[in-house]
Amino acid sequence: MEDNYSRSTPETIFSRPEVVGSRSRSFLANVFSYMFVALGITAVVAYFFAANADTYLVPIASNKLFLYAIIFAPLGFVLLMSFAFNRLSAPVLLALLLLYSAINGISFSFIFLAYTSGSVFGCFLTAALMFGIMAVMGYTTKQDLTSMGRLMTMGLIGIVIAMIVNWFLKSSSFDYIISFIGVIVFTGLTAYDVQKLKRIGEGIDEQGNVMSGDVKKLAVMGALSLYLDFINLFLMLLRLFGRRN
């Protein structure tokens, strides 16, 4: 006798590939929505402060304490969101992401003043194109990118160390090499992060285990990861090809 009950249980229904794929696409749509909102806030704030430099940026630049707070506050936000993830609610995490993106916009306003508007726009379009291509690759590829992700993460650590060293050396050649490697690292991380987020949306982590956790919180943190990939790719391209005023 045919077992009609086992064929219609929720476990069977929700394990179908089309259902899993729909769940993953919905999760990624939320991730990219949060990311685009954060990028939009950064762009608007950066433009506003750069357009009103005498009113806002000059006082900030003249106050070293405030200037260092603007520079290092974004790092504090990332650390807070990462280490307090389990204790913070999804709305609080989202609020922190949006506040982080606004403070980043203030930092970026100084960059907009340092480079020509044409080079900023050109590097932004290039970064968007590269990011889009790698995001599609990460989503569609059947190859496991975990090993590449580990390699890119090690490369990221190396970049941070190299940038600290070059802070003292002030070598333009070394800076060029760092920026070139940075472009490679952040394009690779984009593909890896998108694939990882796709698997989270499917309920699977990197080791193939069932992922547990608040979906909304995971979406916010996923948006943070992709936001960081994009802005760092943009900054590396700007350091390579940007024309200064």
Side-chain angles (χ1 to χ4, degrees):
M1 182 176 179
E2 185 178 11
D3 186 359
N4 291 319
Y5 174 78
S6 65
R7 290 168 60 89
S8 60
T9 56
E11 289 80 3
T12 303
I13 294 172
F14 290 113
S15 63
R16 292 175 182 171
E18 61 270 22
V19 175
V20 173
S22 176
R23 193 165 59 232
S24 177
R25 288 191 294 272
S26 177
F27 174 76
L28 281 174
N30 289 332
V31 170
F32 278 100
S33 295
Y34 293 146
M35 174 203 164
F36 290 143
V37 169
L39 284 175
I41 291 174
T42 299
V44 170
V45 171
Y47 178 80
F48 175 80
F49 274 79
N52 300 276
D54 292 338
T55 304
Y56 297 105
L57 296 187
V58 172
I60 292 175
S62 61
N63 188 325
K64 288 188 177 181
L65 182 62
F66 196 29
L67 180 61
Y68 285 133
I70 293 297
I71 293 173
F72 293 107
L75 176 60
F77 275 94
V78 172
L79 294 176
L80 175 62
M81 294 174 68
S82 300
F83 289 107
F85 172 77
N86 292 325
R87 296 191 295 274
L88 299 175
S89 65
V92 171
L93 279 173
L94 181 58
L96 288 174
L97 173 63
L98 300 182
L99 183 57
Y100 162 72
S101 63
I103 295 177
N104 248 359
I106 300 175
S107 299
F108 272 48
S109 62
F110 288 97
I111 296 173
F112 286 1
L113 292 178
Y115 292 90
T116 64
S117 57
S119 62
V120 169
F121 185 68
C123 289
F124 179 85
L125 286 182
T126 303
L129 180 61
M130 294 175 67
F131 181 91
I133 291 173
M134 297 307 292
V136 171
M137 192 197 86
Y139 184 82
T140 58
T141 184
K142 302 299 182 182
Q143 183 177 355
D144 186 359
L145 301 180
T146 302
S147 298
M148 186 187 77
R150 294 196 188 102
L151 181 62
M152 294 297 103
T153 301
M154 289 188 290
L156 176 59
I157 295 172
I159 288 172
V160 172
I161 295 173
M163 291 180 72
I164 293 173
V165 171
N166 201 41
W167 180 277
F168 300 99
L169 296 179
K170 301 185 185 303
S171 170
S172 57
S173 299
F174 195 26
D175 185 67
Y176 184 87
I177 295 172
I178 293 172
S179 300
F180 180 78
I181 297 174
V183 170
I184 297 173
V185 167
F186 288 110
T187 51
L189 282 175
T190 297
Y192 166 71
D193 284 337
V194 169
Q195 185 182 78
K196 182 174 67 176
L197 291 167
K198 177 186 177 184
R199 291 182 174 182
I200 291 175
E202 294 170 344
I204 302 172
D205 66 9
E206 296 172 72
Q207 286 74 40
N209 302 316
V210 176
M211 191 74 178
S212 60
D214 189 315
V215 174
K216 291 182 179 179
K217 290 168 66 173
L218 292 172
V220 173
M221 294 306 293
L224 175 63
S225 296
L226 295 182
Y227 174 92
L228 289 171
D229 290 339
F230 182 86
I231 63 170
N232 281 292
L233 175 59
F234 166 66
L235 289 175
M236 292 298 172
L237 288 170
L238 196 59
R239 286 155 62 100
L240 280 175
F241 305 111
R243 295 189 302 276
R244 291 185 176 270
N245 284 316

